[in-house]
Amino acid sequence: MPITAEGRWFKDETGRTRILRGVNLSGGSKLPAQPLGYTHLPESLDERRDVSFVGRPFPLEEADEHFLRLKHWGLDFLRLVVTWEALEHEAPGSYDEAFLDYIEALVEKAHERDINLFIDPHQDVWSRFSGGDGAPAWTFDIVGLEIDNFEATGAALLHQQRLDRFPQLMWASNYNRFAPQTMFTLFFGGNCFAPGRKCEGETLQDFLQAHYIKAFQHLAKRIAHLPNVVGFGSMNEPSAGLIGVQDLRATDHLLVKLEITPSPAEAIFLANGFEQECLDFGQPLIDQLPGNAKKATINPRGLRAWKDDCEDIWREQGIWDLDKHGLPRMLRPGHFARVNFAQDFLKPFTERFAAAIHEVMPDALIFIESEPLAPPPQYRSPSKMVYAPHFYDGATLFTKRFHPQVNINPFKMRPVIGGDNIKAYMQRQIGRFREYADACMGDVPVVMGEFGIPFDLNGAAAYETGDFSEQACALEYQLGALDAHLMAYTQWNYTPDNSNEHGDNWNGEDLSIFSRDQQHDPSDIDSGGRALSAVVRPYARKIAGEPLNMRFDPARGLFTFSFRGDSRLADPTEIYVPNSQYPDGYRVEVSDGEFEVLEDEQRVIYRHSDKDMPHMIRIVSKTPPPPELSPYDKLAIIGLVALFLLFLLGRGGKQGKK
């Protein structure tokens, strides 16, 4: 393997420590290439089985262009997005060999450019047909769900059917809705919660998990011979569904509340054709205040999310039934309570997945995820496992607004004021994932599998002005925190067919660091990049010892790195130093030993003394740093922040009165 795990560090074949930096490739890989699966196209869900993902993330003839650009930007580690649907869309056990040929050729192209990667089995809210991506349409068929009625029954909200009323992150509210909740519950816990419902003689859990795992094992067989494949993720952002819900009648456990939000009990009744009055949360953070939510009617036509010849699984389990008036009533609201999803359901699945991959690739690393913001399962001896959590700045992501001096701590629901305090808050939040790893998995590496920002901030003003400085500042807060924790990462995302009008072409999201619409000079390798002043940054790629500290101050052009040397290692330390950060050049200062600047390769090679002691390297821009703010400037900023907070409070009060 080109990269292995040793304790909490990644190592290369020479024994040097690797700090891995890269991107998710790509947001577009969630959707078919033929017929075109963009979610802003109402017809994109019409074809359910005869689809092709060949050309996702880009046609092979474009591979050199994109891989050269990413390599130039120092982003040479990929989280390669592959969905279950891309592999097995036609029917259970029928694999798309043309797509497998394509992926094999794509990974080989990456190897030619010295780019390493791991496969990300990606899903969001289960499937394209329930508002996200991931599973094939036939998974709903074997359970007995009717895709055509999902929107009308509130079982899922689809961008394709509400183009003019799809607020930011509306897709994520589908985790609270019937179709994804039911599918996740059956996938992870069907043996426990619906043992009587079967497919081809197997329980639904065993059938679904077996086909999911076999599909990715089949992919592993095709690419196992390629030396740049580091491993496989187990599943992107797995969801518990209904598992662990204490009271099906309540909504207080729901993570995302947007617009009309049924409780799990109401969602079950809606799926069975019973009209419901549900809470209607309008604007997040305003209508979610006590007393602000309204009520709205769902499914007045009385449609069912189940096929005509299929009984509701949850009624079969005695969770609900009809009263003497023919109305639904919940009999066992705590049916899914008193279990531990991560330990009792997610862990057995990840271990089963890992075993299947290791049959084909014995040394592959398995990148483990848990539910967003939740710790991973407890593993006694997590051999060849990596913890791969996700982090997003919720205030920026939900509102598509950014202010460098004002943020919100969503865990305590209180403001964070001042740039330094926001940076410290980000560092604490990202550091928490290292604590989760230590507590649940032990001394394993952590790679931040996803983080990023919407590039259409503030009404997409940057697309008119070309000024991405606010986006760069928002990213810098996150990237600086990742640097401070010496954490590997793959940023979400690089989407080659991103456009200013439709973003990443999936549910209104626009998080790509590249867009053709910003590519005004195709001969310039940086053209098309967004917020590159933050994204493209120096870092220690290969370290002849153990990293201790890394910082980059883009305003001053100052990079510092220290590490404890290992005299047993013969190869030098390598620092990636992008020329774009140092247009007037830079000077290098080292604590001892010697260095070599390879400007054309954007690298500094450092050979420290043979002592097992701390060593330091500083890279300093020759451009004079900008002057610091005067005390009067700082007071003016504080005053503006105070006015901004007063405006927000006043706006919230007015909304409440309405």
Side-chain angles (χ1 to χ4, degrees):
M1 299 295 289
I3 295 171
T4 57
E6 186 177 311
R8 65 179 52 207
W9 302 113
F10 292 105
K11 299 284 185 174
D12 68 12
E13 63 276 7
T14 71
R16 286 177 293 182
T17 302
R18 291 295 307 270
I19 296 179
L20 304 172
R21 296 289 159 89
V23 294
N24 283 260
L25 187 69
S26 76
S29 297
K30 299 176 178 184
L31 306 169
Q34 295 293 331
L36 199 57
Y38 296 162
T39 63
H40 59 266
L41 301 176
E43 69 276 11
S44 62
L45 295 179
D46 290 351
E47 184 55 63
R48 297 177 183 175
R49 299 198 180 212
D50 187 13
V51 299
S52 173
F53 285 72
V54 174
R56 295 292 188 211
F58 43 68
L60 282 177
E61 56 267 25
E62 295 181 13
D64 285 338
E65 174 204 347
H66 295 295
F67 286 150
L68 280 170
R69 179 177 294 114
L70 290 169
K71 187 78 174 179
H72 180 73
W73 290 348
L75 303 172
D76 59 359
F77 185 62
L78 304 179
R79 184 176 184 245
L80 187 62
V81 173
V82 178
T83 66
W84 183 8
E85 184 188 12
L87 300 171
E88 197 179 9
H89 48 79
E90 185 177 353
S94 177
Y95 302 124
D96 189 333
E97 297 297 335
F99 177 72
L100 289 161
D101 290 341
Y102 163 78
I103 286 292
E104 183 179 3
L106 183 74
V107 175
E108 191 164 10
K109 285 274 190 182
H111 174 54
E112 291 170 4
R113 297 298 177 186
D114 193 27
I115 291 176
N116 296 311
L117 58 89
F118 71 100
I119 300 297
D120 163 38
H122 205 88
Q123 72 78 34
D124 295 287
V125 295
W126 185 258
S127 171
R128 284 194 302 133
F129 304 95
S130 51
D133 58 273
W138 57 257
T139 59
F140 294 109
D141 293 337
I142 67 165
V143 168
L145 290 172
E146 179 52 70
I147 291 172
D148 289 337
N149 290 347
F150 283 175
E151 175 77 28
T153 59
L157 302 183
L158 305 173
H159 189 206
Q160 291 87 341
Q161 298 186 30
R162 47 174 63 219
L163 296 177
D164 58 345
R165 49 193 178 93
F166 205 76
Q168 169 71 345
L169 280 185
M170 171 59 80
W171 68 266
S173 69
N174 282 312
Y175 279 113
N176 306 336
R177 298 181 181 278
F178 181 78
Q181 281 185 330
T182 294
M183 294 307 300
F184 281 117
T185 305
L186 296 172
F187 181 88
F188 286 111
N191 292 352
C192 177
F193 298 110
R197 188 68 71 91
K198 297 186 177 182
C199 180
E200 298 181 8
E202 292 185 275
T203 64
L204 291 176
Q205 175 183 329
D206 289 343
F207 186 87
L208 289 167
Q209 285 195 16
H211 279 278
Y212 176 95
I213 291 170
K214 287 176 182 176
F216 285 99
Q217 186 187 53
H218 193 68
L219 172 58
K221 291 175 182 177
R222 293 292 299 270
I223 61 177
H225 65 286
L226 294 167
N228 59 328
V229 181
V230 173
F232 276 71
S234 53
M235 178 185 284
N236 177 72
E237 297 185 358
S239 171
L242 296 169
I243 299 171
V245 173
Q246 298 300 306
D247 187 342
L248 295 172
R249 300 164 298 185
T251 62
D252 52 2
H253 67 285
L254 301 182
L255 183 64
V256 179
K257 300 177 186 177
L258 288 174
E259 290 199 344
I260 302 173
T261 303
S263 69
E266 290 169 334
I268 290 172
F269 299 155
L270 286 164
N272 284 277
F274 295 96
E275 176 184 313
Q276 298 290 299
E277 293 284 325
C278 304
L279 289 173
D280 184 358
F281 297 97
Q283 300 180 57
L285 305 181
I286 293 176
D287 286 348
Q288 294 196 39
L289 295 173
N292 280 14
K294 303 175 285 293
K295 289 267 189 171
T297 301
I298 308 182
N299 198 14
R301 295 163 57 195
L303 297 176
R304 294 179 78 239
W306 295 100
K307 294 181 181 295
D308 290 340
D309 59 350
C310 188
E311 180 61 84
D312 175 15
I313 286 177
W314 307 131
R315 188 179 184 186
E316 286 181 346
Q317 300 303 310
I319 296 172
W320 71 279
D321 209 338
L322 301 178
D323 64 15
K324 62 182 180 180
H325 303 292
L327 297 176
R329 59 186 180 123
M330 190 58 54
L331 301 178
R332 291 156 59 185
H335 179 77
F336 300 98
R338 295 181 295 280
V339 292
N340 184 316
F341 167 69
Q343 205 64 23
D344 300 334
F345 300 91
L346 180 59
K347 179 184 175 183
F349 160 73
T350 57
E351 291 179 330
R352 183 182 180 187
F353 182 93
I357 298 299
H358 286 151
E359 284 180 13
V360 180
M361 301 175 64
D363 295 321
L365 298 177
I366 305 299
F367 293 75
I368 298 298
E369 297 185 37
S370 53
E371 290 189 285
L373 305 180
Q378 296 269 353
Y379 293 94
R380 289 185 179 178
S381 55
S383 175
K384 299 184 180 69
M385 283 189 176
V386 174
Y387 181 37
H390 299 170
F391 172 82
Y392 288 96
D393 171 15
T396 302
L397 190 66
F398 268 94
T399 65
K400 292 192 178 183
R401 294 287 185 272
F402 173 74
H403 194 289
Q405 301 294 325
V406 182
N407 205 293
I408 279 190
N409 182 336
F411 301 100
K412 298 183 178 179
M413 287 307 295
R414 65 188 185 195
V416 183
I417 307 299
D420 290 342
N421 289 331
I422 296 171
K423 291 176 184 178
Y425 157 72
M426 297 274 185
Q427 284 197 31
R428 287 195 301 272
Q429 296 307 314
I430 287 175
R432 187 174 57 167
F433 293 112
R434 178 69 258 176
E435 295 170 3
Y436 283 167
D438 291 342
C440 300
M441 301 179 69
D443 213 22
V444 300
V446 177
V447 55
M448 189 60 68
E450 286 186 25
F451 70 96
I453 61 161
F455 279 90
D456 53 342
L457 290 177
N458 305 327
Y463 300 159
E464 296 293 329
T465 66
D467 180 5
F468 284 87
S469 57
E470 286 196 348
Q471 286 86 344
C473 184
L475 270 176
E476 183 60 41
Y477 283 10
Q478 298 178 38
L479 291 162
L482 289 159
D483 282 349
H485 289 287
L486 300 164
M487 195 173 288
Y489 63 67
T490 50
Q491 182 173 345
W492 186 271
N493 72 87
Y494 182 102
T495 295
D497 53 345
N498 173 283
S499 69
N500 288 350
E501 183 178 4
H502 295 296
D504 300 335
N505 299 300
W506 183 83
N507 285 333
E509 289 204 344
D510 192 353
L511 281 79
S512 176
I513 63 173
F514 173 83
S515 178
R516 292 289 188 200
D517 285 350
Q518 270 71 60
Q519 191 179 35
H520 305 303
D521 181 6
S523 65
D524 177 2
I525 198 167
D526 290 334
S527 186
R530 297 161 152 184
L532 296 188
S533 60
V535 172
V536 182
R537 58 201 295 110
Y539 70 97
R541 292 185 68 241
K542 302 178 180 180
I543 304 109
E546 181 181 8
L548 298 175
N549 184 277
M550 185 166 68
R551 294 286 189 276
F552 176 55
D553 183 344
R556 299 168 60 198
L558 174 62
F559 173 79
T560 59
F561 176 67
S562 62
F563 67 101
R564 186 176 301 280
D566 186 340
S567 58
R568 298 170 298 176
L569 302 179
D571 292 281
T573 293
E574 177 184 312
I575 312 293
Y576 168 74
V577 186
N579 294 328
S580 59
Q581 289 285 359
Y582 299 98
D584 298 322
Y586 56 86
R587 67 178 187 273
V588 180
E589 302 168 359
V590 297
S591 58
D592 57 89
E594 57 186 18
F595 65 88
E596 179 183 6
V597 176
L598 304 177
E599 186 174 341
D600 290 344
E601 298 179 26
Q602 301 190 115
R603 291 187 299 159
V604 169
I605 304 300
Y606 173 47
R607 294 175 174 83
H608 64 274
S609 66
D610 291 336
K611 297 179 180 179
D612 294 341
M613 57 178 283
H615 307 277
M616 188 183 74
I617 183 168
R618 297 175 81 243
I619 295 171
V620 186
S621 174
K622 291 182 179 178
T623 304
E628 292 189 7
L629 290 174
S630 70
Y632 299 103
D633 291 331
K634 293 179 180 178
L635 284 172
I637 289 174
I638 292 171
L640 287 171
V641 170
L643 287 172
F644 179 72
L645 287 172
L646 287 171
F647 167 76
L648 286 180
L649 290 170
R651 186 167 178 264
K654 291 178 182 177
Q655 291 285 344
K657 291 177 182 177
K658 289 181 183 179

